[in-house]
Amino acid sequence: MRPAGKVRQALLQACAALAVAGQGVTLREMAHAAQVGLATARNTVSDMRRAGQIRKVGERPVDYRNRPVAEYAPAAQSVGQNKGCMSLANVLRVWAG
């Protein structure tokens, strides 16, 4: 696998630094802290979410948008991250048994 690029590393560090237990960090906050453009951050965050590096932990209303925006946290900080995997493991156990 290819090593993570500088943009991805910067966004992941910003996400880890800004996310707290009760609240995640928005895309715009991550981009600002990582000093990355919004378009680049949007594409990279989408890729990071698909790769499982970060996870959507909620939504928050903001002044600059009519809809709430997504909040993200690093996957290692997310509570209950493996709920889907545990359900699949239980299904396979019952199916095989």
Side-chain angles (χ1 to χ4, degrees):
M1 183 185 335
R2 229 172 60 165
K6 291 180 181 180
V7 172
R8 185 177 285 216
Q9 289 175 355
L11 287 170
L12 189 59
Q13 288 174 357
C15 185
L18 297 175
V20 294
Q23 185 175 13
V25 60
T26 66
L27 175 100
R28 191 173 280 205
E29 292 167 347
M30 270 192 287
H32 180 70
Q35 297 180 352
V36 176
L38 278 176
T40 303
R42 187 175 294 113
N43 292 333
T44 307
V45 165
S46 175
D47 293 341
M48 291 169 65
R49 188 171 175 205
R50 188 178 25 217
Q53 289 182 312
I54 60 174
R55 182 171 181 226
K56 182 178 172 182
V57 293
E59 293 183 341
R60 175 178 8 143
V62 291
D63 294 336
Y64 55 85
R65 191 166 180 219
N66 289 337
R67 294 182 180 180
V69 295
E71 294 180 322
Y72 300 98
Q77 291 181 0
S78 300
V79 177
Q81 176 184 356
N82 294 327
K83 286 182 183 176
C85 295
M86 297 303 266
S87 300
L88 179 59
N90 290 337
V91 168
L92 291 175
R93 182 178 46 81
V94 171
W95 179 61

